[in-house]
Amino acid sequence: MSTPANAVPGSAVDAQEIAPPALPATRPLYWSVRRELWESRSIYLAPLGVAAVFLFGFLISMITLPHRLRAALALDPLQQHAALKQPYSLAAALIMGTAFLVGVFYCLDALHGERRDRSILFWKSLPVSDLTTVLAKASIPIVILPLLSFAVTVATQLVVLLLSSAVLLASGLGVATLWRQVPLFQMSLLLLYHLLTVHGFWYAPIYGWLLLVSAWARRAAFLWAALPLLAIGVVEKIAFNTSHFATLLAHRMMGPEALPMTARGSGPMMDPLAHADPGKFLSAPGLWIGLVFAAVCLAAAVRLRRWRDPI
C-alpha cells in the first residue's frame, strides 16, 4: 500500500506534541532568587526586627515628644530641621546598616554553606547552571536587600510620622511644622537613590569578593576574606610607609563623595534631591573599576563552584 507524499510520520507528530514548551531564560534565575529567600530568612527578618525595635523605642520616647517639639520651635530653621528629622535619619541608618551586615554574612556563607552541608550535590542535579546560581546569590545583596531596606525604612518612617502627628494633635499642637520640615516623599526618593547607587553598585565589588572567597575557602571564610586585605595594607605600610590601600578600602566603604546622606549648606534642606548628582556618580572611575572587579570575582566564583568538591 502506498503512502501519500505529504503524510507526516506519526513519530514526528508525537514528538511535537510531547515536547515541553520552552521556558523563558529568566525563569531559572527567578526561582533561584526565590530559593535564596526561602533558605535565608535573615534577609528580611533582620531589617524587620530592627524596625520593630526602633518603633518600640520610639513609642516610649513619645512621652516627651510635645516638649521636644516646643524646644525645637525655638531653634533656627537649620537646627529645627535637624532636630525634627533625627528619628527618621536614625531609622534609615539602623535599617541600612543591618542590611549591609546581612549582605556581608550572606555572601560569606552563600557558596561555602552549600559545600559544607553537601546540599550542592542536590542543587547541581537540577537543570540550573552555575552562572545562574551565582548571579542569583549576587542579586540578593546588590538588588534585593537595597529594595527591601527601602520598603522597610519608608514604612517605618511613615509610622513614625503618623504617630508623631497624632500625639501632637492630642496635645493641642499643630503638625504643619513637622510635615514641612520632614518631607517624607523627597526623603524617600533620596533614600532609594542612595540605596541603589551606594548599597547596590558601589558595594558590588565588596560582595563579589566575598562570594569569591565563599566559593574557594574550605573553612573560616571570614578570615580568608579579611586577612589578604589586612596583609596588603600592612606590607604597604612597612615597605613604603604609605596607606593608599587602606584609604582605597575606606573610600569604598564610606561611599563616593557625590552621595551625601545629609544636606550641606546654609539653609534647611527643602529639596534633598538637589544634592543627588547621578551624572557625577556615573562618571566616577571608581564605580566602573569596582564593577569590573566585581564581574571578575563573580566569573571566578562560577568556575570555582563548577569544580570545587563538597567539604
Side-chain angles (χ1 to χ4, degrees), residues 74 89 136 170 206 223 257-258 276 287 299:
S89 300
I206 299 176
L223 291 179
E257 296 178 356
L287 169 66

Side-chain angles (χ1 to χ4, degrees), residues 105-145:
F105 287 101
Y106 167 82
C107 289
L108 286 172
D109 190 64
L111 296 170
H112 182 264
E114 64 179 15
R115 289 189 296 126
R116 184 179 60 247
D117 60 19
R118 294 181 172 268
S119 62
I120 189 173
L121 299 175
F122 170 74
W123 295 116
K124 277 183 170 291
S125 67
L126 300 180
V128 179
S129 65
D130 296 293
L131 175 62
T132 299
T133 300
V134 172
L135 288 180
K137 293 180 182 295
S139 70
I140 296 298
I142 296 176
V143 179
I144 302 299
L145 273 172

Side-chain angles (χ1 to χ4, degrees), residues 5 13 34 36 42 67 87 123 150 155 199 208 237 273 277 291 294:
V13 175
R34 292 196 61 174
E36 298 301 322
S42 61
H67 173 72
W123 295 116
F150 171 74
H199 289 252
K237 186 65 176 179
L273 292 177
D277 192 348
L291 291 178

Side-chain angles (χ1 to χ4, degrees), residues 14 32 77 135 143 148 150 166 171 191 220 237 252 274 276-277 308 310:
D14 294 340
S32 297
L135 288 180
V143 179
L148 181 63
F150 171 74
S171 303
L191 175 67
K237 186 65 176 179
R252 181 61 57 177
D277 192 348
R308 296 290 278 185

